[in-house]
């Protein structure tokens, strides 16, 4: 039997929206309140969907301890960070929800490589009324 | 990179369940508490999933301001209305969650035509324990 | 030992805001989108806080079955109704959250009279971001 | 028009994680806090997605009363039970979320056989941060 | 300045409602589905409200690390346990939400004795629609 | 009739925990992950409880439009800001939830002065499991 398991986790960070390809006026027009010198922050919620065979002995697709470790490894690169200033991937790429989701998908896929599940997709909430689904 | 973004919005309206093709007894038997002269209402929650290419400059599939305008345009036809009495589409079609979802999908698809995203699907909640997914 | 127990319940109804003491222009200015001919509706959430002695045999202040009956009796006067048209109390009194809360408090206090608890207070949610606390 | 309707329902039960194929030490290492003599419990949340044609008279894919009956029939086998001790299916199969989801999917599929909808998939929440999607 | 800080935490356990002072028939009549041989379980949510002076250097009434330790110490007596079988306090006292709340209040008050805050009150949720407020 | 009305609103900002009175080692030991050069952020939720007489004509303690304006005025000082760098009040005072709550209470009390309600208390959520109640 195959099963898709989802684990939710949380992290907090800061971002600001500014493009070096746009003038100050264009940045302000495009990004409004998100174009600020120091940025603003969110409580992000990450849902990671993994799929695999249900182990006939343990009844699980993956031990939750392992899944939590893999998630923590992927999330800690961003947690309690100012994305624009402290995370290499967002030095030249605006940390929108779309881009953070793509980054987390790719990180998590790597950290899950040694586990018996594959990453099905992720959902990243910036707030209760805005989120991104990312999958391949 | 492609991404699916979802935006949640809210509206409130009134509906009642009554079919002109059924007798009063049949209406009552079919619709129970929902077959009332004046109707009852809900806080509806609409989740609109749109997909598109992530713009390499802005990092977004669509500017949230635009998406909110498109959503508002589709939702305002129903918001604070008595669906049976005030919305043409529900004069001869019972405003069940199934039918409201189909109506909103079609409205939203139209209002999004001039934007760089396509409507992937919508989810319409009538309450926390009842909702409809609508897509093509 | 004394304890305060709270039970949450749900109901749906319709209301519209119109005062016979105001002109049409004044009604519109005061009530905006809530001043409509047919009204709009909500999923209301009612939290009833009751207090009493914890029974030393059962460990409860009141049997949940009894509390649910009392709540149902108070709530069913409003559930699936158009408050302005179908509920006597709101024929001359605008069914705002403030007034519905006062009405429910008074109804529930009566229905609880034969039970070993007293009504401490109620909370009535019109939506997730608007509610009224009512107590004496 | 086709539509996917989802109904959420709740149940509570007890489970413990222990495999007869593992030694006590292996059980403890594999299942940690979930390997206890008497087990622990959860408020489970079940989302059942059903799909069907929207009936042109009623505007529904299925009458909610019927869907609720079918759901109740499937859920009551587990509700308020100790899964390991009181439910035959879990005498030799560990009641993990993965396995409970597979069991509920199969039960619900059977109870829905006489209704005009087919089971699309289910989602089973063990808690707010852990759930399983099950489908065929 | 004085402040009331609240921290939410979670635990899962099992309980069953049975009184040695009642006959089997009376137990069944009083407790219904909660009177079962093995019990059922819940995801409990505990909100602990503590109050104290805001420290002028740290800006906190208590360091969250300390509060979490105190909470964990109080909660772990119940977490992943069958209350009737494994917790001394509930050998002769039915583990209703009322009684568990009183127990947790008293435990937490003790574990907080060496910290610069006092326990203001607790709220214990058995489910989203049932909870108890306990205070002195 | 008197009534207590509560309105929920949202804002996002950045904070970091650092005290000029503590050494780097002490700051790190006291504040851990919250002592970072650029800070991290949250989606804050503010619940403002106001009380007043229910107006016999309108049925309200205050028009929601007015309450929303007053709330917006108090909240916009913090919204989308880095509290330590951009808000005068937090230049020398660590923006903990305790201190932000005190600041918002005082701001909101002022902005409500010309309205027929008084501020009863506020609740400020930093996340779903941590909040502060502030009142006088």
């Amino acid at each position: 039997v195959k099963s898709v398991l989802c684990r939710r986790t949380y992290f907090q960070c800061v971002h600001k929206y500014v493009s070096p390809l746009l003038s100050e006026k264009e940045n302000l027009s495009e990004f409004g309140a998100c174009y600020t010198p120091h940025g603003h922050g969110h409580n992000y919620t990450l849902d990671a969907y993994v799929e695999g065979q249900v182990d006939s002995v343990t009844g699980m697709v993956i031990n939750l301890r392992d899944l939590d470790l893999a998630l923590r490894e992927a999330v800690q690169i961003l947690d309690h960070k100012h994305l624009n200033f402290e995370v290499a991937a967002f030095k030249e790429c605006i940390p929108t929800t779309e881009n953070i989701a793509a980054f987390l998908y790719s990180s998590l896929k790597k950290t899950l490589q040694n586990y018996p599940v594959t990453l099905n997709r992720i959902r990243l909430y910036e707030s209760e009324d805005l989120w991104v689904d990312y999958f391949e």
Side-chain angles (χ1 to χ4, degrees), chain A:
Chain A
V1 187
K2 226 175 170 179
S3 201
V4 176
L5 180 81
C6 183
R7 181 64 161 174
R8 172 168 285 192
T9 191
Y10 305 92
F11 63 100
Q12 291 89 35
C13 49
V14 182
H15 65 171
K16 59 174 188 167
Y17 286 10
V18 51
S19 168
L21 304 174
L22 302 177
S23 70
E24 194 177 324
K25 205 177 149 188
E26 287 168 325
N27 267 303
L28 192 62
S29 151
E30 182 68 28
F31 300 123
C34 295
Y35 173 62
T36 52
H38 302 285
H40 65 288
H42 296 287
N43 304 326
Y44 287 94
T45 299
L46 173 67
D47 295 347
Y49 289 81
V50 300
E51 65 178 272
Q53 290 296 322
V54 178
D55 183 282
S56 61
V57 174
T58 66
M60 304 169 176
V61 294
I62 183 175
N63 191 304
L64 212 55
R65 256 186 328 226
D66 295 332
L67 183 53
D68 284 347
L69 280 177
L71 272 163
R72 187 56 13 215
E73 194 182 332
V75 160
Q76 73 185 358
I77 308 170
L78 309 183
D79 195 19
H80 279 73
K81 294 278 171 36
H82 192 305
L83 301 183
N84 305 64
F85 297 158
E86 299 178 276
V87 179
F90 298 113
K91 291 262 153 94
E92 307 212 335
C93 159
I94 303 184
T96 56
T97 318
E98 288 91 329
N99 282 337
I100 304 174
F103 175 81
L104 279 170
Y105 182 89
S106 155
S107 301
L108 192 49
K109 207 178 155 187
K110 238 174 281 164
T111 68
L112 281 171
Q113 263 170 351
N114 300 316
Y115 295 103
V117 289
T118 55
L119 188 58
N120 178 295
R121 68 200 151 93
I122 63 165
R123 175 169 289 182
L124 178 68
Y125 290 88
E126 183 189 282
S127 61
E128 274 189 16
D129 55 8
L130 188 68
W131 61 91
V132 162
D133 284 342
Y134 196 88
F135 47 88
E136 282 178 318

